[in-house]
Amino acid sequence: MASSDSENKAPEVLAIVWILLVISGFIILARVYTRVAVVRKTALDDHLMVLAWILGLIFNVFITMACKWGLGRHFWTLDQMHQVNAMHWNFVSQPFGILAGTIGRISFSVSLLRIIGPVDKIKKYVLYFIIIFQMMINFSTIILIFVQCGKTVDAIWDPSLIKTAGAKCWSPDVQTYYGFFQSSVNAVTDLVLTILPLWVLWNTQLKPAIKATLACLLGLSVLAMAATVVKTYELKNISARKDFTMNITGLYIWTAVEFNIIFIDSSIPTLKPLFRSVRMFNKSSSRGGTYRLSAPVNKSSTHAKPAYRRDSWDFSPSSHFNGFKKDKGDSSSEENILPPGHYSSLSASQDIKKTTVITVDREDASLSSHGDAVQSEAQEHGRAPSTEPKAWAGGHAA
């Protein structure tokens, strides 16, 4: 019995929650660096993820305070002051653990909204529903935690006030059962956030190997779902008030596991610009359908072929579809980069096009007569004469 009374799970709890937060913190730091220094553009999902990590940090601080007062030790081994303070920091930490996971899921949903774009309305509405429903369910859980004893909030962690102050509290089973519902909703949300990116990838024309890689990166939400399922099972200990400080440790461990996995699996896909040197990433990178000429023009040839290099990663499916090209004259062309299904649903003013302009400068002055002939032929066919310098026609301006 003595060895059982001396049992202390606090070191285990603190090690797990802080190690996970440090790991997710480094990944989020890399994400911020990638967005600021490499991509040179931050978005709403980046700010939300930083906010979620800060909420996770506050959760860890409060759990540390709870461990200082007796979390991880048997309830009956603590004096009344330690019992009250341990339970106080337990309940105060719960909203921040809930919010960390909620904001993390919303951040990932916002990322998917940017990837999907405004055209695919079904997926867009699904994500909007997830964002709104997440806020409703999880915020209502936080409210329920602090109203279960009416105006005497302190009675939640100090049961003696029920007798001395006449506080009336709900049964702990109310919070437990609503917690089962809330965690079940979060688990289903994680499952949807796993399937939705795979659905997007399925409709792209990427190579199978690249699809598999992106599917693994974007489908990591399934790990968060698994952690949420385990956390849901641990919620039964909220009602076990006789040894609350010992039984509740599993719930807080899995809460930390849950939101840190959300931080990690939502941030890893944003790090691809950092891996340009890796051949697989370099081959499959693209930046909104924009290309750069990376090879010099061969001035001795009238049909020099420019080499194209993709600049960065773009998850948007439209950047991987074959487009519809339309000539715009001798030196440029337009290409619709949306797939046929999307193209038909847009008006002319809403087309998303890629324009490529190629200029060939020829030094051979003997070709000037040929250039003049081309210009005359263009005028005969009703095209406007060239407004380019004479160098375009083959010679150099005097």
Side-chain angles (χ1 to χ4, degrees), residues 4 43 61 101 121 134 209 214 226 231 242 269 338 346 359-360 382 386 395:
S4 176
V61 171
K121 293 184 178 180
Q134 274 286 299
L214 292 176
K231 190 193 79 170
K242 291 183 179 180
L338 288 175
L346 294 175
T359 302
V360 180
S386 173

Side-chain angles (χ1 to χ4, degrees), residues 11 28-29 35 58 77 84 147 183 199 204 206 213 264 287 320 322 325 334 348 378 388 397:
I28 292 175
L29 184 63
R35 301 291 295 176
I58 297 173
T77 64
V84 171
V147 301
S183 291
W199 187 8
T204 63
L206 293 170
T213 301
I264 293 170
R287 192 174 189 175
H320 307 294
N322 294 326
K325 294 185 178 179
E334 281 188 353
E388 298 290 336

Side-chain angles (χ1 to χ4, degrees), residues 189-373:
T189 300
D190 291 331
L191 179 61
V192 174
L193 292 178
T194 300
I195 295 174
L196 205 58
L198 304 183
W199 187 8
V200 174
L201 286 173
W202 182 263
N203 295 323
T204 63
Q205 296 181 0
L206 293 170
K207 294 180 179 179
I210 298 173
K211 277 188 178 182
T213 301
L214 292 176
C216 291
L217 292 175
L218 292 171
L220 291 174
S221 293
V222 70
L223 299 178
M225 183 192 71
T228 304
V229 170
V230 178
K231 190 193 79 170
T232 303
Y233 173 78
E234 292 291 339
L235 282 168
K236 62 183 176 55
N237 292 313
I238 290 180
S239 302
R241 298 294 173 91
K242 291 183 179 180
D243 197 9
F244 186 80
T245 50
M246 175 62 72
N247 294 333
I248 205 71
T249 54
L251 174 62
Y252 292 122
I253 288 174
W254 283 102
T255 298
V257 171
E258 176 192 30
F259 67 68
N260 279 289
I261 288 178
I262 293 172
F263 298 166
I264 293 170
D265 65 38
S266 300
S267 298
I268 285 179
T270 68
L271 304 181
K272 281 182 286 296
L274 288 178
F275 303 109
R276 291 180 182 177
S277 59
V278 180
R279 184 177 180 181
M280 182 183 69
F281 288 98
N282 196 34
K283 282 186 176 181
S284 58
S285 62
S286 66
R287 192 174 189 175
T290 302
Y291 298 86
R292 249 183 229 173
L293 292 173
S294 59
V297 176
N298 185 357
K299 295 184 178 181
S300 63
S301 172
T302 60
H303 301 287
K305 294 182 179 181
Y308 297 117
R309 179 174 63 82
R310 295 171 177 175
D311 293 327
S312 65
W313 277 61
D314 183 5
F315 286 134
S316 178
S318 63
S319 64
H320 307 294
F321 286 103
N322 294 326
F324 312 101
K325 294 185 178 179
K326 178 174 67 177
D327 289 337
K328 290 187 67 180
D330 296 330
S331 61
S332 67
S333 66
E334 281 188 353
E335 179 180 352
N336 285 294
I337 60 175
L338 288 175
H342 288 68
Y343 179 73
S344 61
S345 64
L346 294 175
S347 65
S349 63
Q350 293 176 310
D351 288 352
I352 301 176
K353 299 176 181 179
K354 177 185 69 186
T355 302
T356 305
V357 180
I358 301 175
T359 302
V360 180
D361 189 1
R362 294 177 289 186
E363 291 183 340
D364 189 355
S366 64
L367 296 176
S368 61
S369 61
H370 174 70
D372 294 335

Side-chain angles (χ1 to χ4, degrees), residues 82-115:
H82 280 76
Q83 289 177 349
V84 171
N85 280 284
M87 291 187 68
H88 168 75
W89 290 110
N90 270 287
F91 281 100
V92 170
S93 70
Q94 289 178 19
F96 295 95
I98 294 171
L99 286 174
T102 302
I103 302 301
R105 289 185 183 92
I106 292 175
S107 172
F108 188 53
S109 299
V110 172
S111 298
L112 292 179
L113 279 173
R114 191 175 66 251
I115 293 169

